[in-house]
Amino acid sequence: FGLGRTLQAADMESLEEILIGSDVGVASSERIIKDLEKAISALPSPPTQDFLADLLREEITALLSAAGGHQVLESPPEGSRPRVVLVVGVNGSGKTTTIGKLAARMVKGGQKVLIAGADTYRAAAIGQLEIWARRAGVDFVGGVEGGDPASVVHDALSAAMAKGVDTVIIDTAGRLHTKIPLMKELEKIVRVAGKVTGRPPDSVLLVLDATTGQNALVQAREFSRSAAVSGIILTKMDGTAKGGILIPLSTELGLPILYVGLGEGIGDLVPFSPEEFAKGMVG
Amino acid sequence: SLAEKLESVFKKLKTRGKLSEADIDASLREIKLALLEADVNFKVVKNFISDIRERALGAEVMESLTPAQQVVKIVHAGLTDLLGKSRSSLARASIPPTRILLVGLQGSGKTTTCAKLAKELKEKGSRVCLVPADLSRPAAVDQLVTLGKKIDVPVFAFPESSSSLEAYAKASLEAGRAGCDTVLIDTAGRLHVDEDLMKEVAALARAAAPQETILVVDAMTGQDAVNVARAFHERLTLTGIILTKLDGDARGGAALSMRSVTGVPVKYAGVGEGLDGLEPFHPERIASRILG
Ligand SMILES: Nc1nc2c(ncn2[C@@H]2O[C@H](COP(=O)(O)OP(=O)(O)OP(=O)(O)O)[C@@H](O)[C@H]2O)c(=O)[nH]1
Ligand SMILES: Nc1nc2c(ncn2[C@@H]2O[C@H](COP(=O)(O)OP(=O)(O)OP(=O)(O)O)[C@@H](O)[C@H]2O)c(=O)[nH]1
Ligand SMILES: [Mg+2]
Ligand SMILES: [Mg+2]
């Protein structure tokens, strides 16, 4: 028979604090703690703090193994050209900046890249992206402020096909998923991209701010409905937020996490590492 | 909603007759879960629950025919008290111009909020001007200049300045010459753990000596809100918080966390991308929103 060892109240408390305090959320935290209890139930003596920390790090790493996919994105496409990467997310999450960083990585990977500025709404959005395109050394097709974003997508993709571009990255306006007309606009952008290239976007990246709490789950669900999100980029992990929301995102929605943003410079985008992430959360 | 969850908790319990302390703790657990799911900070939730526990064990609940309703009342009152009285007035300088400094993390909505406040104050009769002191983000100055044109408020931009301090100093002279009585200063987004950038904004605050130093925070911010608010408050002495993007469906628990930990009042709510998307902060409304 098993020894049935359970967690001490103090250990339980400190585990809860790490998990909840990292935005892992109640449901996922409870599940993780139950798993840890199973892991220690047959121990002959009480686990030390260090042992529990190791267990927790391993557990988190295992839950996030749906990482990767960034190498494919950075090398020239194997299939049809151009590869179309659509970047979406709520206001201020870091989409425009991330696109500059991503384009730079793709250039290093030997690609000819075109950036499409389909945020025709926000003040100075086109100018901001144009500066990033210049920094990354890639071509830029922008719209006019107040214009139709779908027509920028149409023009950029047509130009990319004519120029033999490897990858087109499309920047879109920040939008709250609660705004139905804006989500409809996003669906239209996806449709128009499909019409020009004859297939849906190859990659739809949801850019999430690491400081976001439980709303990130709602964002991921809603954006997935309108734009078939294929991967996540978590920005602003250079702050003190732990981005624990990645755990329920990974376990409940199965979304691969491709990159982490670690700053405001062009080089501040790194491939997601479950081990590094777990270490950052647990210590 | 929390009210419904508590009803079902008490329904199970009331069938046994009198309520016990354990029953109350069962209801408090539901409240704890609701607050955590609303992004209220873990430690703030713990303190809040222990504060209301005593009242929840009192006669008003234990002897009530509708204990769930009584508990919801206590929680709602507790949250509204914690969030403080609605206080959206802005301090004015005894000798004009009034200076208002907006600070916060990257992407929280400072630049947009700066223009929204300018519009609001102009409509109330102030001679407002805008100072773009973010020289680092690409096209940040253009962004504020564009917004200023939209609302016909002068923007004194010196993007070639070598520092935000210099940009502010030059703008401040222009504002004086133009007869502005209210100067709104937009700053670059920064991390509270970036020592250089925190030093920079502290120096700007010393030079500008603003009547209002406002932390602009995204309503979807999670557990990290207390760290951010505490750090900015310790370095700058905040006079207010503006919670943005409340037109989304984030519950906004960060409001409770920040207010409870720093005592700084939330003065306005950002409720849209347009420049009319600003309204006074209503504590009872956010309390209901947090409780779902
Ligand atoms: N510290 C830090 N800041 C970041 C990171 N990624 C983006 N930012 C900053 O976040 C702010 C917002 O970035 P944007 O790229 O404008 O965000 P966006 O999603 O395009 O915003 P909208 O188009 O307005 O929705 C800028 O100040 C960026 O420099 C990151 O990984 N770390
Ligand atoms: N829906 C909505 N969007 C908002 C609100 N406030 C700001 N935004 C949007 O949020 C995004 C970021 O706003 P900015 O004003 O650029 O944020 P910021 O804090 O100045 O960003 P940095 O200067 O990079 O730190 C933009 O897309 C804004 O339109 C709001 O109350 N509701
Ligand atoms: Mg953008
Ligand atoms: Mg700004």
Side-chain angles (χ1 to χ4, degrees):
Chain A
F1 58 95
L3 287 167
R5 181 173 304 280
T6 55
L7 285 166
Q8 303 271 8
D11 289 335
M12 178 76 84
E13 175 91 355
S14 58
L15 283 171
E16 267 190 357
E17 199 161 322
I18 291 173
L19 293 168
I20 302 281
S22 300
D23 291 312
V24 170
V26 173
S28 290
S29 299
E30 290 186 341
R31 217 170 297 138
I32 289 172
I33 289 175
K34 279 209 182 72
D35 288 347
L36 291 187
E37 286 214 297
K38 252 198 230 110
I40 66 158
S41 61
L43 287 181
S45 57
T48 60
Q49 285 275 331
D50 285 348
F51 184 77
L52 282 176
D54 285 343
L55 272 183
L56 183 58
R57 253 180 259 114
E58 287 173 19
E59 173 82 358
I60 291 168
T61 304
L63 289 172
L64 290 171
S65 52
H70 75 275
Q71 297 102 332
V72 171
L73 212 57
E74 289 175 17
S75 1
E78 308 256 299
S80 11
R81 273 149 95 261
R83 167 197 288 128
V84 178
V85 178
L86 182 66
V87 178
V88 303
V90 300
N91 307 70
S93 64
K95 299 175 291 301
T96 303
T97 307
T98 298
I99 288 171
K101 299 171 180 178
L102 184 57
R105 290 187 69 96
M106 288 176 173
V107 168
K108 279 212 183 87
Q111 296 193 59
K112 182 170 159 69
V113 181
L114 179 96
I115 291 177
D119 178 356
T120 53
Y121 173 76
R122 209 209 67 214
I126 297 162
Q128 180 190 8
L129 187 59
E130 192 160 16
I131 291 170
W132 277 109
R134 209 177 318 132
R135 287 178 180 179
V138 302
D139 287 339
F140 177 75
V141 168
V144 66
E145 217 167 282
D148 177 16
S151 64
V152 177
V153 170
H154 178 276
D155 296 348
L157 290 180
S158 309
M161 289 170 90
K163 286 176 168 192
V165 162
D166 291 309
T167 297
V168 177
I169 312 177
I170 305 171
D171 190 13
T172 60
R175 71 200 66 228
L176 295 183
H177 50 278
T178 47
K179 312 253 154 114
I180 308 299
L182 296 184
M183 297 309 277
K184 289 281 171 225
E185 177 190 82
L186 185 58
E187 291 168 19
K188 182 177 175 205
I189 288 173
V190 172
R191 274 198 310 275
V192 168
K195 278 215 192 95
V196 181
T197 60
R199 62 184 194 284
D202 300 279
S203 178
V204 178
L205 302 178
L206 175 65
V207 176
L208 281 175
D209 186 328
T211 66
T212 308
Q214 298 309 300
N215 196 250
L217 273 165
V218 187
Q219 292 174 25
R221 271 187 220 117
E222 292 306 312
F223 274 89
S224 294
R225 289 204 307 156
S226 290
V229 172
S230 59
I232 293 179
I233 298 181
L234 192 68
T235 61
K236 309 177 199 173
M237 277 292 277
D238 45 322
T240 52
K242 302 295 183 205
I245 202 72
L246 285 188
I247 294 173
L249 276 174
S250 186
T251 56
E252 287 174 32
L253 300 178
L255 286 170
I257 300 131
L258 273 75
Y259 297 98
V260 169
L262 290 175
E264 301 190 71
I266 200 162
D268 295 331
L269 188 71
V270 299
F272 176 67
S273 149
E275 293 83 0
E276 286 304 307
F277 180 84
K279 238 188 260 151
M281 196 185 292
V282 181
Chain B
S1 72
L2 178 67
E4 290 163 345
K5 289 204 195 103
L6 292 178
E7 287 289 354
S8 75
V9 167
F10 282 111
K11 212 186 235 114
K12 289 190 230 131
L13 308 175
K14 259 320 233 344
T15 54
R16 308 193 252 105
K18 223 174 165 304
L19 285 176
S20 71
E21 196 168 314
D23 299 337
I24 295 300
D25 281 333
S27 70
L28 289 177
R29 173 163 168 77
E30 286 302 323
I31 295 163
K32 174 182 169 201
L33 293 181
L35 293 175
L36 289 177
E37 284 172 7
D39 291 326
V40 181
N41 182 268
F42 180 69
K43 292 206 177 85
V44 172
V45 172
K46 246 178 119 203
N47 294 336
F48 181 78
I49 298 293
S50 65
D51 286 347
I52 64 167
R53 188 168 184 273
E54 198 160 320
R55 202 172 150 195
L57 289 170
E60 83 189 282
V61 175
M62 302 299 271
E63 298 172 11
S64 166
L65 292 172
T66 57
Q69 286 184 29
Q70 292 310 313
V71 173
V72 171
K73 259 174 119 209
I74 291 172
V75 174
H76 202 275
L79 289 183
T80 310
D81 280 348
L82 243 185
L83 286 165
K85 304 238 169 348
S86 115
R87 210 183 314 166
S88 56
S89 63
L90 296 171
R92 313 242 13 115
S94 43
I95 299 169
T98 292
R99 282 92 57 201
I100 299 172
L101 181 69
L102 294 183
V103 301
L105 295 183
Q106 291 88 349
S108 63
K110 298 174 292 299
T111 304
T112 310
T113 301
C114 203
K116 288 177 181 180
L117 267 176
K119 179 175 198 285
E120 161 102 349
L121 294 173
K122 171 175 171 164
E123 284 167 0
K124 291 216 168 99
S126 293
R127 294 188 59 148
V128 192
C129 71
L130 291 163
V131 176
D134 178 357
L135 304 180
S136 46
R137 166 171 155 157
V141 175
D142 280 343
Q143 187 183 1
L144 195 62
V145 167
T146 301
L147 295 177
K149 284 205 188 102
K150 267 205 179 123
I151 54 176
D152 191 26
V153 166
V155 181
F156 298 119
F158 294 91
E160 299 305 309
S161 307
S162 56
S163 70
S164 59
L165 214 54
E166 183 187 337
Y168 170 71
K170 292 192 161 133
S172 162
L173 284 174
E174 288 303 309
R177 280 182 210 133
C180 295
D181 63 28
T182 306
V183 175
L184 286 153
I185 311 160
D186 182 27
T187 64
R190 73 200 65 230
L191 296 176
H192 52 297
V193 290
D194 186 325
E195 190 48 40
D196 289 340
L197 289 187
M198 290 306 282
K199 278 210 190 91
E200 177 201 60
V201 76
L204 182 60
R206 273 196 303 277
Q211 279 63 44
E212 290 279 347
T213 301
I214 298 179
L215 182 69
V216 178
V217 181
D218 195 322
M220 58 186 92
T221 308
Q223 297 287 311
D224 198 43
V226 289
N227 300 328
V228 179
R230 198 186 284 126
F232 273 90
H233 190 44
E234 284 176 0
R235 294 298 287 257
L236 302 175
T237 308
L238 303 171
T239 58
I241 290 169
I242 294 181
L243 204 61
T244 63
K245 308 175 204 172
L246 275 168
D247 45 320
D249 56 6
R251 304 273 288 284
L256 190 72
S257 310
M258 295 186 295
R259 170 77 196 200
S260 130
V261 161
T262 65
V264 179
V266 181
K267 296 202 170 186
Y268 287 97
V271 292
E273 271 192 275
L275 294 180
D276 52 358
L278 188 74
E279 51 184 51
F281 183 72
H282 297 292
E284 350 68 50
R285 272 194 223 159
I286 197 94
S288 305
R289 182 177 177 135
I290 288 173
L291 290 180

